[in-house]
Amino acid sequence: MPREQEMKANLQNYLDGFNEGDSEKVISLFAEDARVEDPVGSDPLKGIASIASFFQQSVPSVKRLELAAPIRGSHSNSAAMAFNIYVEIEGKESVIRCIDVMTFNDDGFIIDMKAYWGPEDIQS
Amino acid sequence: MPREQEMKANLQNYLDGFNEGDSEKVISLFAEDARVEDPVGSDPLKGIASIASFFQQSVPSVKRLELAAPIRGSHSNSAAMAFNIYVEIEGKESVIRCIDVMTFNDDGFIIDMKAYWGPEDIQS
């Protein structure tokens, strides 16, 4: 099981990858057979090919990610964080308020990501 | 499926119940067959009897809960929040940094609660 500090470091790497515009850094955090549901309630992406395609599109489209509170761990192989996504929507700077829950496999890669944000969490 | 606003109102009711010292208010948010895993990685409580007993003990032991960021919804039947739990541990005011994910049934009751916090999320 990955240690709490390693999981938190990988969530920080996820934020940093976005903020450095480095989609490969983000993609490298995920396992080959990972599952990404962003937002929760949408059809999940399954497997690294779909996930890579998703982040190759989303990383350049995001201005920055900012933590809203310190990253949380757990007593198991999951960690979670509340953050804000700054994006331009139809020419206006907008913010999406999000909570991501990441679950890790034994090798320390993200095997599951769930992004909790709804229509009302977007503010323009 | 419960609406986003209703789910968020119920997460706020959860906080309010704790802050009012009203364990029954907290317990009334949960379905008969709910599951509570607090913290994630511990044995889950299953069913309202175990859950009621848990909150009857935990509500009086907590000083207050404070949101760390606005409550998040989703495009499905889940909502999430980052908050701080203020408690006294061995005579010292301490804070547990937590993220809860709540999933609702069609009747608007919490059917599943997962609380993400690890040993490193406790600060004395």
Side-chain angles (χ1 to χ4, degrees), chain B residues 3 5-6 18 20 30 33 49 52-53 57-58 65 83-84 87 95 98 106 109 113 124:
Chain B
R3 286 182 308 143
Q5 282 181 355
E6 288 167 11
F18 266 89
E20 293 159 7
F30 288 81
D33 53 344
S53 167
Q57 288 181 22
S58 58
L65 304 188
F83 62 107
N84 295 320
V87 282
V95 58
C98 183
D106 287 343
F109 292 97
M113 173 181 134
S124 289

Side-chain angles (χ1 to χ4, degrees), chain A residues 43-105:
Chain A
D43 281 342
L45 305 172
K46 290 175 185 168
I48 196 68
S50 313
I51 291 168
S53 168
F54 173 69
F55 286 115
Q56 279 155 1
Q57 288 180 22
S58 58
V59 169
S61 74
V62 162
K63 289 196 163 184
R64 67 186 188 282
L65 305 186
E66 269 180 22
L67 273 180
I71 298 169
R72 275 67 166 152
S74 73
H75 287 64
S76 181
N77 57 336
S78 296
M81 61 179 173
F83 62 108
N84 295 321
I85 304 166
Y86 292 89
V87 282
E88 202 171 279
I89 299 177
E90 296 171 0
K92 275 194 275 189
E93 171 133 341
S94 305
V95 58
I96 304 172
R97 290 188 291 265
C98 183
I99 283 179
D100 274 9
V101 175
M102 312 274 202
T103 302
F104 291 81
N105 67 14

